[in-house]
Amino acid sequence: MTRTILKATGLRKDFVTQKPLFGAPTVVKAVNGVDLDIQAGETFAIVGESGCGKSTLARLLVRLIEPTEGEVWFNDRDIAHLPADDMRALRKDLQFIFQDPFSSLNPRMTVGALIEEPLRAHGQGDSAARQARVAELLGRVGLTPAHADRFPHEFSGGQRQRIGIARALATGPKLIIGDEPVSALDVSIQAQVVNILEDLKAEFGLTLIVIAHDLAVIRHMSDRVAVMYLGELVEVGRCEDLFSAPRHPYTEALLAAIPIASVGARKARTQLDGDLPNPISPPPGCRFHTRCPYASARCKTEHPPLRAAGPQGAGHQVACHHADDLSLQGLQDASAARSAAASARFDLYRAARGAAPGPATSETT
Amino acid sequence: MTDPVLSVTDLSIRMQGAPTDLVDGLSFDLMPGETLCVVGESGCGKSLTALALMGLLPTPPLRLTGGSARFAGRDLFAMSAPERRQIRGGDMAMIFQEPMTSLNPALRIGEQIAESVRRHSGASRDAARQRALEMLERVRIPAPHKRLDEYPHQLSGGMRQRAMIAMALANDPSVLIADEPTTALDVTIQAQILDLMRALQQQSRTALILITHDLGVVAEMADKVLVMYAGRAVEAGPAASIFRDPQHPYTIGLMSSMPSLGTRTDRLVTIPGVVPPPNALPDGCRFAARCPFADAACAAKPAFDMLGDGHGVACWHAPIEQTRSPAPAMGAIA
């Protein structure tokens, strides 16, 4: 009973980097023909190296920037071509969490005013009702109502990200996009924020789109994953399918590059040489062929479209000519290498934290 | 038995006006060719330690309040400024996290590397440029002849970090300190840089102090690990031993709060709260406020106990399985 909440078709964004007096301008195709279907209630992740266009795509999906071409349908309305007034009204359903909690909060506003601002902008409630809502939201993200009178600089990075989350939640959105919401945080704080996002998602029945480059966090949080390379999707699939049996060589290389926190767990890795090619002049054919260990002559000339792969109904898609002939290596299970003594202590720690394996908070939806 | 190339004893650093030391009694030995990984959250003093060793500590507001660092038979902290300058960038070099802010944007890559070579070896302009080219080749920068005359902004993040490494290694240092060298990079580029550092280290026998918060990087690179919390060493030992037999609740908490790449769990285990601010560090165990095992005993500072095999821990309750057994030795249970 899945329902599509957000659908993008043929989405493209060109940025003009240089406009000479004469001749053609230099254009970067940051997002080049992306089709996406996001189901209501799922956590959808977009991964890729810096410069692959994942942040541009995220901004296009909620129309923080205008697409050059293509459509974005949110609940059967094409938001890419909606008049500004209607779009503003719709914003309460579509919220955004930014990467850097230090630069995305106005330093001259109190935390209370920051969280109240979206409520005021959408004309929700009177002053007293809004104050009550602010206090409630602060509690929901693990802060206290007393924090409302303080300024952002008085908080640590993790706390600021919580404020950003409370602000995004204020108007009761249906869909939240997080652009690297935890990458600026320390490991222990990162875990706290990931848990909060998951709790809130379950509690309010949110749909979550997460942009990230940390594959371990992605694997933990998401239901489906899209892998992006130079402005195009190269693989889309269910999280467990994609991590255990990747079908695109780029996905395999990304997985192989994750450092594994277990001594001696590392096997020989497929090394990806070189950097991301310049997006101003992407390679012809398959954009990945310059770094791909499996590339053939065909890959240099013919651009592979994103097509269905794997068993019917799994919804796995891949853009590779050779996806059917390659047998690629997924993520190796590193937990097997963990010693009994370490595992026993992890369990003790978990028990002492009161977070028994399994549900720790109510899973109400 | 070889002597350590760098031996730090009781290093302490204090901020102006603060009642306690920010870095408090840190000791470690670094053997030739060895990799020591220093792990901890932001604000735990790992970068301050690196800066102090390089003689780059901003004084004031910070100052050394004690300790020594013996390098090549002499105490670094007792040296004069010119002596420190001779060592810095020569026999001891450092790589920073963000290559864009630590490279001079107005100097060509080749000039920056050659400058350091000439400063330390007195080589001629031509010889230094030749050395710069050789270093760019060693760090496997494509088209090194061309890169030599390019500016930092013309290089990608990974290439810039390679250039930084080339510069740091140009004078064959015996100790290299790398402060989060791959944190700003993508995973694929990170894998390339880590491979490169390992290969170069094998050739040159340079001892490496690698500061990171990524336990995956630690597991791949470290011979020895030093876990720091709020300015103190809470656990240290051989990498294999730390991962097989983690002792300190903080180490265990860090390891379990990372999303597992093995079986997927419902929820991540967290370490509650935040690191105490530098002006309110407790006298006793500095981790006690966030520790699920803390009790009255933790109000006193735990000694750093050696467990043998070079593995040591500073915790009243290590190993934790004995603490949780029926009768805790110390009175009150929090």
Side-chain angles (χ1 to χ4, degrees), chain B residues 82-160:
Chain B
E83 284 175 308
R84 290 306 294 273
R85 273 202 295 278
Q86 196 52 44
I87 289 179
R88 189 188 310 137
D91 216 12
M92 260 178 94
M94 184 157 172
I95 302 171
F96 297 88
Q97 175 172 355
E98 183 33 76
M100 195 62 224
T101 53
S102 38
L103 288 170
N104 185 336
L107 274 185
R108 295 170 204 274
I109 295 292
E111 288 168 18
Q112 303 201 33
I113 302 175
E115 181 187 31
S116 144
V117 173
R118 296 184 67 203
R119 166 75 181 76
H120 288 280
S121 68
S124 72
R125 201 171 281 273
D126 283 349
R129 189 177 159 87
Q130 194 53 42
R131 176 72 178 159
L133 179 64
E134 192 186 305
M135 289 313 297
L136 289 184
E137 281 165 2
R138 271 183 68 191
V139 297
R140 291 182 238 139
I141 287 187
H145 282 94
K146 191 166 145 248
R147 297 295 181 196
L148 215 49
D149 292 318
E150 289 191 345
Y151 291 94
H153 76 265
Q154 292 171 286
L155 271 56
S156 69
M159 286 303 150
R160 274 183 219 136

Side-chain angles (χ1 to χ4, degrees), chain A residues 48-51 54 156 159 185-192 194-196 198-199 213-223 239-240 243 250 253-254 256-264 266 269 271-276 291 331-335 338-342 344-346 348-353 355 357-361 363, chain B residues 40-43 46 140 156-159 162 183-196 198 213-220 222 239-247 249-275 287 290-293 319-322 324:
Chain A
E49 288 172 275
S50 28
K54 55 191 193 298
S156 68
Q159 288 172 318
L185 309 174
D186 273 314
V187 189
S188 72
I189 308 299
Q190 182 174 309
Q192 294 173 6
V194 167
N195 280 348
I196 284 182
E198 297 202 309
D199 290 348
H213 66 266
D214 185 336
L215 291 147
V217 170
I218 294 274
R219 173 145 189 279
H220 175 81
M221 290 185 76
S222 36
D223 301 310
C239 186
E240 57 272 26
F243 276 83
Y250 180 60
L254 278 183
I258 309 177
I260 292 171
S262 171
V263 173
R266 159 75 63 229
R269 61 174 141 217
Q271 258 271 25
L272 205 51
D273 280 327
D275 291 320
L276 206 64
R291 299 168 80 191
L331 195 70
Q332 291 139 22
D333 189 355
S335 57
R338 198 178 261 177
S339 77
R345 293 209 180 108
F346 291 160
L348 270 176
Y349 184 90
R350 187 185 283 267
R353 283 282 296 117
T361 50
E363 303 288 318
Chain B
E41 287 173 270
S42 358
K46 51 194 200 300
R140 291 182 238 139
S156 69
M159 286 303 150
R162 281 169 196 261
T183 307
L185 306 175
D186 283 310
V187 272
T188 56
I189 309 296
Q190 164 169 293
Q192 292 174 8
I193 298 285
L194 293 180
D195 270 358
L196 173 72
R198 228 173 352 216
H213 64 263
D214 186 335
L215 290 167
V217 172
V218 174
E220 291 213 354
S241 180
I242 297 268
F243 280 95
R244 194 183 58 238
D245 186 26
Q247 294 279 336
Y250 179 62
T251 315
I252 296 166
L254 266 190
M255 287 181 178
S256 26
S257 59
M258 294 207 330
S260 154
L261 288 169
T263 43
R264 269 172 97 174
T265 46
D266 287 351
R267 278 177 73 79
L268 295 178
V269 177
T270 59
I271 301 176
V274 291
V275 181
F287 185 59
R290 300 176 72 188
C291 181
F293 301 100
I320 53 174
E321 54 269 19
Q322 283 168 27
R324 302 305 286 180

